């Protein structure tokens, strides 16, 4: 990848704050145009803020316990929240009014994902669910995990570009030779991937409640998911300290990324490189095709909780309270952003970083002095 971000070492101004929550910040989500940022908190509320003025636009009250996760619809009209009160709610992004309550889960809702008119959720009740976002009707319950379901990943295979005829032939041959569960990608262009505390990830189609693929191999809970759709590869991180790659369509294990000394907590893939954060305080950058560790980012003094890749830059958040900015290929730490309690989540927009922590506020960092060119 060419260098799209030039990082300097000039001193940053003190961050601005989004204040109002009365509990720790658990999730942050930016609107599609970057004009709004939504936050979810232990105080049982979600809030929406204007990213230019930093003023609060709306507040969503109605959950009876902490809000774990949130998402925005593609048209930026609604916010979706999942809570420990076992419900999911759909809110008007500007008025803050609750439009629909999705009820059916029997335990904490861990993750929500929006795709067109569909909503997907995961829960500690061992299931994932597919909802009609317009009516609130539960269309499908995905049962198969034997323990809690945490991360979700929605994959649209129709946007993938098969790279070579050789790969097509290999996949076709694997299907013929395999006796395991398989599906025909021509019939199922969209897949929901779930990660479970039962050490497996599973693929589900939108037309059936039956599991299409089981990705087995980890020795402990699957904690995080990402994918390279163009390469038809799924990546899973686990409490066993490894990440693994799989053929999305066949379930065949591809590579094991082994090097962390503790649980892998977060994972992202970008342009042939996999970045993994771990409870061992270290972030690693791997060459996907080889499964080899390219760089190790050391500097945090506690667990890595979140990562974000932007061009040739990696941002990491940690329970040590710091955000670190790394040059992806050299492994150099270009800057450390201090000022927080343990960092739970980050979002990056052009020259701004939004960080949410246990200290009940969101810090807004202007990184334009670090980034000469950010598109």
């Amino acid at each position: 990848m060419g260098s799209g971000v030039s990082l300097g070492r000039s001193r940053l101004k003190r961050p601005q704050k989004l204040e109002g929550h009365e509990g720790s910040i658990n999730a942050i989500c930016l609107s599609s145009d970057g004009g709004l940022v939504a936050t979810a908190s232990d105080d049982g509320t979600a809030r929406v803020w204007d990213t230019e003025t930093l003023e609060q636009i709306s507040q969503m009250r109605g959950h009876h316990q902490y809000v774990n996760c949130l998402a925005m619809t593609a048209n930026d009209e609604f916010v979706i929240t999942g809570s420990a009160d076992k419900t999911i709610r759909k809110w008007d992004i500007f008025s803050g009014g609750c439009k629909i309550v999705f009820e059916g889960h029997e335990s904490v809702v861990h993750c929500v994902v929006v795709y067109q008119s569909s909503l997907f959720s995961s829960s500690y009740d061992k299931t994932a669910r597919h909802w009609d976002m317009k009516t609130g009707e539960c269309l499908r319950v995905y049962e198969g995990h034997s323990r809690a379901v945490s991360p979700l990943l929605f994959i649209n295979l129709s946007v993938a570009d098969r790279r070579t005829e050789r790969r097509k032939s290999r996949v076709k041959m694997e299907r013929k030779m395999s006796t395991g569960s398989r599906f025909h990608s021509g019939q199922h262009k969209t897949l929901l991937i779930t990660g479970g505390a039962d050490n497996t990830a599973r693929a589900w189609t939108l037309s059936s409640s039956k599991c299409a693929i089981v990705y087995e191999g980890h020795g402990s809970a699957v904690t995080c998911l990402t994918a390279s759709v163009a390469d038809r590869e799924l990546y899973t991180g686990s409490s066993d300290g490894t990440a693994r790659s799989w053929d999305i369509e066949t379930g065949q294990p591809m590579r094991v990324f082994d090097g962390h000394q503790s649980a892998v907590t977060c994972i992202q893939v970008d342009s042939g490189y996999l970045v993994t954060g771990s409870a061992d305080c270290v972030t690693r950058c791997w060459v996907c095709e080889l499964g080899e560790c390219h760089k190790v980012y050391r500097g945090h003094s506690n667990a890595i909780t979140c990562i974000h890749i932007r061009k040739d830059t990696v941002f990491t958040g940690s329970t040590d309270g710091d955000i670190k900015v790394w040059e992806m290929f050299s492994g150099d730490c270009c800057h450390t952003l201090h000022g927080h309690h343990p960092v739970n989540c980050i979002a990056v927009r052009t020259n701004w970083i939004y960080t949410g922590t246990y200290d009940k506020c969101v810090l807004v960092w202007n990184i334009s002095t670090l980034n000469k060119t950010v598109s």
Side-chain angles (χ1 to χ4, degrees):
M1 294 185 295
S3 180
V5 179
S6 299
L7 298 178
R9 297 176 181 273
S10 54
R11 185 177 180 83
L12 290 178
K13 296 179 180 179
R14 293 181 63 84
Q16 297 172 282
K17 294 183 178 182
L18 302 181
E19 296 180 296
H21 280 296
E22 298 174 357
S24 66
I25 310 301
N26 297 324
I28 299 176
C29 179
L30 286 163
S31 61
S32 58
D33 64 0
L36 301 173
V37 59
T39 54
S41 171
D42 267 0
D43 64 10
T45 74
R47 297 169 189 247
V48 176
W49 318 76
D50 186 300
T51 57
E52 294 298 329
T53 66
L54 303 185
E55 294 180 354
Q56 181 176 298
I57 300 297
S58 59
Q59 181 178 169
M60 291 83 171
R61 288 190 176 273
H63 284 297
H64 304 300
Q65 293 191 49
Y66 62 87
V67 181
N68 234 349
C69 50
L70 83 168
M72 287 190 193
T73 56
N75 57 12
D76 297 333
E77 290 184 2
F78 301 102
V79 172
I80 308 296
T81 56
S83 170
D85 67 9
K86 309 176 187 178
T87 71
I88 302 156
R89 289 176 179 254
K90 174 183 174 181
W91 313 83
D92 184 282
I93 201 166
F94 293 106
S95 73
C98 182
K99 298 301 182 180
I100 297 177
V101 180
F102 304 82
E103 296 181 291
H105 279 300
E106 298 177 359
S107 188
V108 175
V109 177
H110 183 271
C111 184
V112 291
V113 173
V114 173
Y115 176 72
Q116 295 180 353
S117 62
S118 291
L119 167 65
F120 303 91
S121 59
S122 66
S123 170
Y124 292 170
D125 66 9
K126 308 176 188 178
T127 73
R129 290 177 179 252
H130 177 192
W131 312 82
D132 186 309
M133 198 159 54
K134 294 181 179 179
T135 67
E137 178 187 1
C138 182
L139 303 176
R140 217 158 258 109
V141 179
Y142 299 112
E143 297 180 290
H145 286 287
S146 60
R147 298 183 67 184
V149 183
S150 296
L152 291 179
L153 180 66
F154 191 84
I155 296 177
N156 186 352
L157 292 174
S158 64
V159 303
D161 183 18
R162 291 183 183 267
R163 294 296 175 88
T164 62
E165 288 300 322
R166 180 182 62 82
R167 175 169 173 77
K168 290 182 181 180
S169 300
R170 179 177 64 79
V171 171
K172 185 176 180 181
M173 182 62 68
E174 288 167 354
R175 287 181 185 148
K176 287 182 177 180
M177 296 175 62
S178 174
T179 58
S181 300
R182 297 292 180 264
F183 66 92
H184 190 276
S185 64
Q187 295 176 336
H188 305 294
K189 291 293 188 179
T190 52
L191 293 173
L192 179 69
I193 310 294
T194 56
D198 60 2
N199 310 350
T200 71
R202 293 172 180 260
W204 316 80
T205 70
L206 305 193
S207 60
S208 171
S209 297
K210 184 178 179 180
C211 181
I213 290 281
V214 180
Y215 306 91
E216 295 182 280
H218 281 297
S220 191
V222 175
T223 56
C224 44
L225 303 166
T226 192
S228 173
V229 177
D231 294 321
R232 295 294 211 269
E233 290 195 20
L234 171 70
Y235 297 88
T236 55
S238 170
S239 294
D240 66 10
T242 70
R244 291 175 180 255
S245 62
W246 318 79
D247 187 299
I248 293 174
E249 298 176 282
T250 69
Q252 177 184 347
M254 306 288 285
R255 286 165 290 277
V256 179
F257 302 84
D258 191 3
H260 285 294
Q261 303 303 307
S262 190
V264 176
T265 54
C266 42
I267 188 170
Q268 278 201 13
V269 65
D270 184 82
S271 302
Y273 290 89
L274 182 70
V275 178
T276 56
S278 171
D280 65 6
C281 314
V282 169
T283 303
R284 290 176 178 264
C285 178
W286 312 79
V287 180
C288 293
E289 188 174 1
L290 303 176
E292 296 178 354
C293 186
H294 170 66
K295 289 293 178 182
V296 180
Y297 311 136
R298 301 182 187 275
H300 284 293
S301 59
N302 217 323
I304 311 300
T305 55
C306 45
I307 55 179
H308 182 91
I309 304 173
R310 188 176 185 84
K311 297 293 181 79
D312 298 343
T313 308
V314 177
F315 302 88
T316 57
S318 168
T319 54
D320 65 11
D322 289 343
I323 302 290
K324 287 185 179 289
V325 185
W326 311 84
E327 204 288 321
M328 189 171 186
F329 298 108
S330 72
D332 291 340
C333 180
C334 305
H335 209 92
T336 299
L337 311 182
H338 302 289
H340 256 316
H341 290 78
V343 178
N344 291 331
C345 47
I346 62 176
V348 180
R349 176 184 72 95
T350 315
N351 291 324
W352 300 89
I353 303 177
Y354 303 83
T355 58
T357 75
Y358 285 99
D359 58 9
K360 307 178 184 179
C361 71
V362 174
L363 295 189
V364 183
W365 306 83
N366 185 336
I367 57 171
S368 59
T369 55
L370 300 183
N371 302 342
K372 292 181 180 178
T373 306
V374 182
S375 60

